Amino acid sequence: MSEQHQAELAKWVHDARKPLNRISMQAELVKMALAGDIPVEKATEALDKIIVSTKDCSALLTDMVTAMTDIDRE
């Protein structure tokens, strides 16, 4: 794998970490809501954000696989 392709892969991994970090933070909010530390409505909002973030992460991974397939064809 060329240095350019390694750099592209590193960028994609970095980009995939963003939604994973959002998922982690929102899961912590859900735990707080279940413990009664914050309103239950915040848990519902956090769960909605988790769903969006999982879809974002899935799309990024799909794009990465597509790009890696294109690189292999070069």
Side-chain angles (χ1 to χ4, degrees):
M1 181 181 292
S2 71
E3 286 185 36
Q4 177 187 359
H5 293 142
Q6 287 177 347
E8 288 176 32
L9 179 59
K11 180 191 177 302
W12 287 29
V13 170
H14 177 268
D15 289 348
R17 283 189 178 123
K18 291 177 192 177
L20 292 173
N21 288 335
R22 284 192 307 252
I23 291 166
S24 178
M25 290 187 314
Q26 297 305 317
E28 289 294 331
L29 286 176
V30 172
K31 282 175 55 177
M32 292 172 65
L34 291 173
D37 297 333
I38 61 173
V40 174
E41 294 81 22
K42 293 291 183 183
T44 302
E45 293 171 14
L47 291 169
D48 288 338
K49 291 177 184 179
I50 288 171
I51 292 166
V52 169
S53 293
T54 58
K55 290 177 182 178
D56 291 346
C57 193
S58 180
L60 284 166
L61 292 172
T62 298
D63 291 346
M64 186 184 335
V65 169
T66 300
M68 297 306 288
T69 302
D70 292 344
I71 288 171
D72 285 343
R73 291 182 185 157
E74 293 177 358

